[in-house]
Amino acid sequence: MTLFTEAPDAARVARGMTADFLRGAGADAMVDDARLIVSELFGNVVNHVVPEPALAQSGGSRRMDVSFELWPKWLFIGVTDEDSTPPLLPLGDVFPPGLRGELSEVVLPDHDRGLLIVQRLASTVCWTPGESGGKTVWCRMDIGQAAGVDPLC
């Protein structure tokens, strides 16, 4: 699906189409996590993407493409944008596990946690550059207890 981020209901449409696709494919158990992943990646496009001049649409609307690939053991979600800048994938927890329970919510970051949330929900998160610019952020979600070879990243 292709969305323009400036449309007033674009985020709702992205979440709704994600749910519709997964329910139609019989993957109802993955709907909530997949909707949150798409929502967080949509937010990253809105907040961080600066379209490259060759890809920018006249009028300033930023385009975002969302794709789904459902395999017997995996669901792949791809979000493509018009900015070739690599995403800053978090390398680990913001705070060590032993310290996290002792910290007040006041010191925890209240923004820029989208990819950290996505990494918690997906089995793998990576990105690929587009052939003509832009990039795609890919998330792999395991269906059931799929294990073994990581076919993507």
Side-chain angles (χ1 to χ4, degrees):
M1 81 180 115
T2 297
L3 299 164
F4 292 94
T5 60
E6 283 74 15
D9 60 348
R12 181 187 57 77
V13 168
R15 289 188 298 270
M17 294 202 59
T18 298
D20 290 347
F21 170 79
L22 292 174
R23 287 185 183 119
D28 295 36
M30 304 183 86
V31 167
D32 290 339
D33 287 350
R35 283 180 48 160
L36 183 53
I37 286 171
V38 168
S39 188
E40 291 297 335
L41 294 177
F42 180 90
N44 283 352
V45 172
V46 169
N47 292 315
H48 301 292
V49 164
V50 177
E52 296 172 22
L55 298 175
Q57 299 289 319
S58 61
S61 288
R62 288 172 288 171
R63 194 185 86 234
M64 176 181 107
D65 296 319
V66 181
S67 60
F68 305 99
E69 293 184 34
L70 189 59
W71 293 67
K73 294 184 179 184
W74 305 289
L75 167 65
F76 293 94
I77 300 171
V79 174
T80 303
D81 63 50
E82 303 166 312
D83 185 345
S84 295
T85 305
L88 297 174
L89 297 174
L91 296 176
D93 291 327
V94 177
F95 296 102
L99 183 58
R100 229 177 325 180
E102 299 173 17
L103 294 173
S104 165
E105 288 185 19
V106 173
V107 299
L108 296 175
D110 61 354
H111 57 82
D112 292 334
R113 296 179 297 183
L115 285 175
L116 185 62
I117 292 168
V118 169
Q119 283 182 320
R120 292 283 188 243
L121 295 173
S123 301
T124 301
V125 179
C126 63
W127 71 281
T128 56
E131 288 183 23
S132 302
K135 68 178 169 298
T136 302
V137 176
W138 292 100
C139 302
R140 188 195 83 209
M141 297 176 70
D142 293 347
I143 297 173
Q145 296 298 319
V149 177
D150 186 350
L152 180 59
C153 302

